[in-house]
Amino acid sequence: MHSHSTTHEAALLGLGAMGVALARAAASRGRRLTVWNRTSAKAAPLAAAGVPVAASVAAAVAASPVVIVCVTDYPATRALLEAVELGGKTLVQLSTGTPQEARELAAWAEARGARYLDGAILAVPSQIGGPNAHIMTSGSREALAAAEGVLGDMAAIQFVGEGPGAAAALDLGVLSTLFGALLGFYHGARLMESEQLGVDGLGGLLSAIAPTLGEMIRIDGEAIHHGRYEAPEASLEICWRSMDLLGRHAREAGIDASFPGFAAAMFHRGLAAGLGHEAPAAMIKVLRAASAQEGARR
Ligand SMILES: NC(=O)c1ccc[n+]([C@@H]2O[C@H](COP(=O)([O-])OP(=O)(O)OC[C@H]3O[C@@H](n4cnc5c(N)ncnc54)[C@H](OP(=O)(O)O)[C@@H]3O)[C@@H](O)[C@H]2O)c1
């Protein structure tokens, strides 16, 4: 049942868009992998490429010391593994979830004799196996040592701490930033259209200045970490003015104004709290105060 009797280096459970990309990356680097998917038809292309397909979850797990899961979410992961012997295995969870779900799955796996590594994939399937794919991991260092080889075939691996929730927390932070920015971009796209300009030009410009934008975010992160909001290069009030300007443009151009309306209202809360002359990162004080009020109401 344990690693001495296994025939594959790793099992991969879940062959959705991401699972297939992970499997292809590992298999193409010569990794001995076995795969399984609930809907067996999705395994057919991999089988045709010579990747062994297990007949059941139990068979896939029994055949491999390292078990990698990439399904929709944590409840699906639990449902998959509920009736499977995990003693001595290394379980790697690559499905997206919350830090709390990661901690609970770690405790659940450890209670069943498995080592646990939580992983967050920072890539889309087409990037897997390439230079721009990253997987952040957290949890057991022994689990990392056991799984690092196969995970390294899929992406660059970064270990972010022994607390199993750390990778999921960073992942959610990245998703919050990404999708917040994307909503702003979609408004920017409508702005381009309203001015008869190409949206691809805005996308290209943003790609070119991405390191500059990243630097601004890094500086904001340090400001919040150290609690330094004085003498900013650009104030919170300027941010509000910019969003107010976007709202004015949207009304002039007759385009949807919900994104600038939301952003202006958020920054206005900073102005109302007397933070207009501070750095935009001082918005964290508004959000902290709101959490404290929420906590007091509960
Ligand atoms: N796609 C991305 O760009 C991306 C990026 C980063 C992270 N991720 C994460 O990777 C995970 C998988 O994403 P995906 O894009 O591969 O999703 P997907 O294409 O929708 O595939 C979902 C997979 O989960 C399986 N599944 C769902 N519920 C199940 C259950 N109860 N029992 C067994 N299998 C179950 C599906 O099996 P069936 O085929 O049988 O339905 C399928 O293999 C998600 O947590 C996602 O957030 C994805």
Side-chain angles (χ1 to χ4, degrees), residues 15-18 37-39 42 70-72 76 80 95-96 121 123 125:
L15 297 173
M18 183 54 83
N37 194 58
R38 178 179 61 180
T39 307
K42 288 191 191 164
C70 187
V71 295
T72 303
L80 272 187
S95 319
T96 307
I121 304 169

Side-chain angles (χ1 to χ4, degrees), residues 41-164:
K42 288 191 191 164
L46 285 168
V51 179
V53 179
S56 66
V57 174
V61 171
S64 318
V66 174
V67 178
I68 301 170
V69 182
C70 187
V71 295
T72 303
D73 55 21
Y74 282 66
T77 304
R78 289 265 194 128
L80 272 187
L81 297 174
E82 198 67 59
V84 174
E85 171 60 54
L86 283 177
K89 303 290 179 183
T90 291
L91 176 62
V92 182
Q93 166 69 304
L94 295 183
S95 319
T96 307
T98 67
Q100 180 64 18
E101 285 180 311
R103 286 188 284 271
E104 286 172 4
L105 189 62
W108 181 85
E110 282 157 16
R112 306 176 76 179
R115 290 180 290 256
Y116 182 80
L117 189 70
D118 202 78
I121 304 169
L122 298 187
V124 292
S126 61
Q127 292 172 318
I128 294 297
N132 294 322
H134 297 268
I135 299 179
M136 285 177 302
T137 60
S138 58
S140 152
R141 284 186 189 276
E142 291 75 29
L144 175 69
E148 212 166 14
V150 61
L151 294 178
D153 292 340
M154 301 166 174
I157 305 304
Q158 194 185 344
F159 185 70
V160 295
E162 291 184 8

Side-chain angles (χ1 to χ4, degrees), residues 239-252:
C239 297
W240 171 73
R241 285 192 187 284
S242 300
M243 292 303 102
D244 194 50
L245 187 65
L246 272 186
R248 186 144 55 83
H249 167 272
R251 286 188 294 278
E252 285 170 6

